[in-house]
Structures are given as C-alpha cells and as structure tokens.
Amino acid sequence: MSETSAAPSGPSYRPLSGIAESLAAIDEVIAAAERSIRIFDIALANRGFNSPARADKLREFLVRGRSHRLHIALHETDGLERECPRLLALLRQFPMSIEIHRTLAQARNATDPFVLADDHSVWHQLHFEQPRAIVALRSPADAMPIAQRFDEIWELSEPAVSATTLGL
C-alpha cells in the first residue's frame, strides 16, 4: 500500500479487533488532533502512553499551539507513576496544557475507554475487558456523542494529578 502525502478528506470508520490495531488507531486519532485531545480510561495501562513514540507525538501536539489541551479522566490514577512516567514528564513540562482527573460518582460506572481528537476523530473501545473497538477519523457524527460523554464524565471528576504534587 502506498503512502499519500495528504490525509484523506472524507470521514473514515472501521472496526478494530485487536490490541495492536487499537494502539495504531490511537496514534491516528492523536495525529488528527488540531486543538484538543480528551481521553477517558480506567487506568491508562497498556494503551501505549508510556512509549517514547507516543510521548513524542503528544509533545509535538502540545508544542504546536499554546491553546492546545490534553484532558485525561481516569477511574484509577494510582498507577500512573509506574505505568506512564513519560506522560507525567509531559505534565511537568506542560502544566498549563494537561489536566488529569479522577472520576467520581456515576462516572465510575463508565467502562468504555476512548481517545477523542477535537470533535471529529475518535478511538472507542466498547468495553475495557474486550479488545473490540472502533476508530472514526474526520467524522463529527461519530465523535459528537463521545464528546458529550466526555463532558459528562469530566463534570463528575476531580483534579487528581498535578505537576506540583507528583511523587507525593
């Protein structure tokens, strides 16, 4: 398959059946981000957020604009230092651009991790215990319900990890 220099202009949607496909799809969604990346996950473990390549992609995104934001809502934040030290290094480097929250109340019932770029591209795992997922790129119709879901989860969360309290 040949590489193209320009991204396809129309929306794309495809089901994913394995972890490797999901990791690649998350990278695609991150690459599509122009202003914001919103992530919901149980603990962010095994999603590739500690890989050097993923950390570089996130750093490049944050460096591209002062108004770029990375918001992460997790059920469990305790393992971040062990599982994602590169992500925490980014938090220290970009403390005004990254927020990590812990879910509360009804938000803790959510079991479907996702990564959302702006309001147009999304990777969505149907249940955290199963590998099935979807990726929709440049598809606001697919991304809008996930964006609304993230807003609801974010409202039912609290700041949990900051650049100044790491390691405490």
Side-chain angles (χ1 to χ4, degrees), residues 77-168:
T77 59
D78 297 340
L80 279 180
E81 285 188 54
R82 183 179 61 256
E83 298 284 337
C84 299
R86 287 183 176 91
L87 179 62
L88 296 181
L90 285 175
L91 175 62
R92 286 189 295 273
Q93 187 177 359
F94 300 96
M96 301 305 288
S97 301
I98 300 173
E99 289 184 60
I100 302 175
H101 280 203
R102 180 183 311 106
T103 57
L104 303 168
Q106 295 90 350
R108 296 194 62 78
N109 294 327
T111 59
D112 57 328
F114 55 82
V115 177
L116 178 67
D118 303 317
D119 290 327
H120 58 69
S121 296
V122 65
W123 167 83
H124 185 204
Q125 186 175 10
L126 305 178
H127 190 277
F128 76 96
E129 292 179 332
Q130 300 191 4
R132 289 187 15 217
I134 62 96
V135 64
L137 301 171
R138 295 165 309 282
S139 179
D142 290 309
M144 186 181 304
I146 302 301
Q148 291 169 344
R149 182 159 171 73
F150 183 84
D151 291 344
E152 292 168 0
I153 290 170
W154 195 255
E155 284 295 316
L156 294 170
S157 69
E158 64 182 3
V161 180
S162 73
T164 57
T165 60
L166 291 177
L168 294 180

